[in-house]
């Protein structure tokens, strides 16, 4: 019986064959170029069709000009959270296997659908106060950010306005119109397409 999913026995990810001239997204190409391995191949399929976003993000990372607050918007299943995780690894150089153990120390994920209270945001703000253990940045990925309560948005606003130099916030949502305007105005917005 063959193993389930795209992984083979050797642990290397095997992507399905592509049509001629169709390469992986630029962000994933950068991972391969920098790491010399295809660690994130299994995620490549999830960001296909988002070249306008992956190119912009890769250029920002290469030029060390990445914004400290990013908002990824689009329908379900287009790769918003996957792209956020890839960016989180790239900004710190964690795309190879030797540093994989350091990822949890610098990458925090919060599901705002179930953690949408002021106390949940205050806990996140408390974590922001401490600089990263490894790498240059701590990355906070807040999924379904539109589910935060108004009080939670307001509690988060001060940190988003004046983040520490080592903090990057990546907010993901399927409903951009539900995010309050003061948060939107402080984020670089990326619209993912179906």
């Amino acid at each position: 019986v063959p193993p389930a999913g795209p992984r083979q026995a050797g642990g290397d990810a095997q992507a399905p064959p592509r049509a001629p001239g169709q390469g992986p997204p630029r962000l994933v190409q950068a991972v391969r170029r920098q790491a010399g391995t295809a660690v994130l191949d299994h995620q490549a399929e999830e960001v296909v069709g988002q070249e306008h976003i992956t190119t912009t993000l890769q250029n920002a990372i290469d030029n060390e000009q990445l914004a400290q607050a990013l908002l990824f918007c689009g329908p379900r299943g287009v790769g918003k959270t996957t792209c956020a995780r890839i960016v989180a690894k790239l900004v710190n150089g964690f795309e190879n296997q030797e540093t994989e153990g350091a990822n949890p120390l610098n990458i925090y994920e919060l599901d705002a659908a179930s953690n949408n209270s002021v106390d949940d945001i205050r806990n996140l703000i408390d974590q922001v106060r401490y600089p990263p253990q490894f790498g240059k940045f701590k990355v906070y990925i807040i999924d379904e950010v539109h589910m935060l309560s108004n009080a939670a948005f307001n509690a988060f606003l001060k940190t988003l306005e004046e983040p520490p130099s080592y903090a990057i916030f990546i907010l993901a949502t399927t409903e951009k119109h539900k995010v309050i305007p003061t948060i939107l105005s402080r984020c670089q917005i990326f619209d993912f397409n179906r």
Side-chain angles (χ1 to χ4, degrees):
V1 177
R7 293 218 169 259
Q8 299 298 320
D12 293 330
Q14 298 291 324
R18 296 181 179 273
Q22 180 187 10
R26 290 183 187 267
L27 208 54
V28 174
Q29 287 175 343
V31 170
R32 287 185 187 144
R33 185 175 58 246
Q34 291 177 6
T37 61
V39 175
L40 299 177
D41 268 355
H42 67 283
Q43 294 176 340
E45 294 304 313
E46 298 181 44
V47 289
V48 167
Q50 309 301 334
E51 285 80 14
H52 64 291
I53 291 173
T54 56
T55 301
T56 303
L57 288 170
Q58 186 59 55
N59 289 338
I61 292 168
D62 289 345
N63 296 319
E64 298 182 4
Q65 303 257 331
L66 188 66
Q68 285 192 273
L70 308 170
L71 178 65
F72 292 174
C73 331
R76 295 193 189 284
V78 294
K80 297 180 299 292
T81 306
T82 298
C83 200
R85 290 178 184 139
I86 293 171
V87 168
K89 289 182 179 187
L90 281 175
V91 296
N92 280 313
F94 290 160
E95 62 275 3
N96 60 26
Q97 292 175 339
E98 293 83 39
T99 56
E100 196 166 310
N103 286 342
L105 299 175
N106 284 41
I107 302 171
Y108 297 89
E109 288 192 43
L110 176 73
D111 180 20
S114 55
N115 301 297
N116 56 8
S117 71
V118 174
D119 288 336
D120 295 316
I121 291 299
R122 285 189 181 137
N123 288 337
L124 180 112
I125 291 169
D126 286 341
Q127 291 177 3
V128 172
R129 293 180 185 165
Y130 301 105
Q133 296 290 321
F134 298 97
K136 292 169 51 177
F137 299 100
K138 285 174 78 174
V139 181
Y140 299 88
I141 300 170
I142 305 176
D143 205 6
E144 301 298 334
V145 72
H146 65 275
M147 299 290 286
L148 289 177
S149 66
N150 277 339
F153 272 129
N154 289 330
F156 182 52
L157 188 58
K158 178 69 173 172
T159 303
L160 198 62
E161 285 176 337
E162 299 172 11
S165 61
Y166 52 80
I168 296 175
F169 296 96
I170 304 176
L171 315 178
T173 183
T174 54
E175 301 182 42
K176 180 171 65 172
H177 63 279
K178 290 187 178 179
V179 179
I180 62 173
T182 50
I183 297 287
L184 289 175
S185 68
R186 286 154 178 84
C187 295
Q188 183 175 1
I189 300 173
F190 292 91
D191 289 305
F192 285 67
N193 301 323
R194 175 66 64 192

